[in-house]
Amino acid sequence: MVFAGLDFAACAGRMLVLRGPNGAGKTSLLRLIAGLSEPADGTLVLEEAALPADALLGEHVHFIAHQDAIKLHLSVAENLRFWAGFFGGGDVAGAMTAMNLAALAEFQAQRLSAGQKRRLGLARLALVEKPVWLLDEPTVGLDTASQKLLADMMVRHLDGGGIIIASTHIELPVKSSDVLDFARLAGTGRQT
């Protein structure tokens, strides 16, 4: 059991920051919300009137994890076109602009630096709108300018009524944040 007695709400227009030591369960929680793992007990609900009753939560989230989910043999533009096809559409040029990748559009992903690869992975957030963003250490590998690009996208998403749940060990430059402290959860057995 990674954690038990977890009770929280993530609200539209706000970011929920997951804090705590490595191994506390932050990534496990994000994977549960994304639908990549099954909870041993309990439920996850996205309260949204526009969703069909049988909708799966994972279909309505972007999950950006430690792996950048890019195909190294494809160019930057081809990677984004792949994801646009997977999502059933998307603004490839807009996604490249959002993460300052337009000048690298024809570069093979394997030739990119670690920070450029991270920006390519994060560009999926701007490709197609999904109401919930799950971000696992999203700033890893990003320089200051790229962190600003990410912060700008996050603010726009929240201003549009989106939800962000992000694990991080640093302060993210987004003001509308609540904190779920996994260190306290480990100490008390419950975090509300």
Side-chain angles (χ1 to χ4, degrees):
M1 183 79 60
V2 178
F3 48 75
L6 189 60
D7 183 17
F8 69 94
C11 302
R14 297 198 53 85
M15 179 170 67
L16 177 63
V17 177
L18 308 179
R19 294 242 188 245
N22 293 337
K26 300 179 303 292
T27 298
S28 295
L29 177 60
L30 292 173
R31 291 181 54 80
L32 282 169
I33 297 168
L36 300 174
S37 300
E38 292 285 325
D41 191 26
T43 57
L44 294 166
V45 177
L46 177 62
E47 294 178 0
E48 176 66 44
L51 299 179
D54 62 348
L56 298 174
L57 181 59
E59 295 173 354
H60 302 281
V61 304
H62 276 303
F63 180 42
I64 304 293
H66 295 282
Q67 300 293 330
D68 293 316
I70 59 176
K71 297 185 177 296
L72 295 176
H73 65 284
L74 296 180
S75 71
V76 167
E78 289 169 333
N79 267 282
L80 290 171
R81 282 194 294 270
F82 166 82
W83 283 109
F86 181 81
F87 291 136
D91 180 5
V92 171
M96 283 192 287
T97 299
M99 288 309 293
N100 194 23
L101 294 167
L104 302 171
E106 300 309 315
F107 275 69
Q108 269 191 317
Q110 67 188 359
R111 294 180 51 209
L112 300 175
S113 71
Q116 291 167 333
K117 288 176 184 172
R118 187 62 169 172
R119 288 185 358 236
L120 176 54
L122 289 164
R124 289 194 322 265
L125 298 170
L127 190 60
V128 76
E129 183 60 34
K130 295 203 177 222
V132 180
W133 291 3
L134 306 174
L135 308 178
D136 197 1
E137 298 290 343
T139 58
V140 169
L142 295 181
D143 60 19
T144 303
S146 298
Q147 287 181 28
K148 171 86 169 81
L149 292 172
L150 173 60
D152 291 346
M153 279 197 319
M154 293 169 76
V155 168
R156 281 191 302 275
H157 182 65
L158 295 173
D159 286 348
I163 297 169
I164 299 174
I165 303 174
S167 71
T168 182
H169 292 285
I170 68 166
E171 288 297 320
L172 294 172
V174 178
K175 294 183 185 194
S176 57
S177 299
D178 302 307
V179 176
L180 180 60
D181 188 345
F182 277 72
R184 278 191 32 210
L185 176 64
T188 65
R190 184 169 180 81
Q191 173 75 36
T192 302

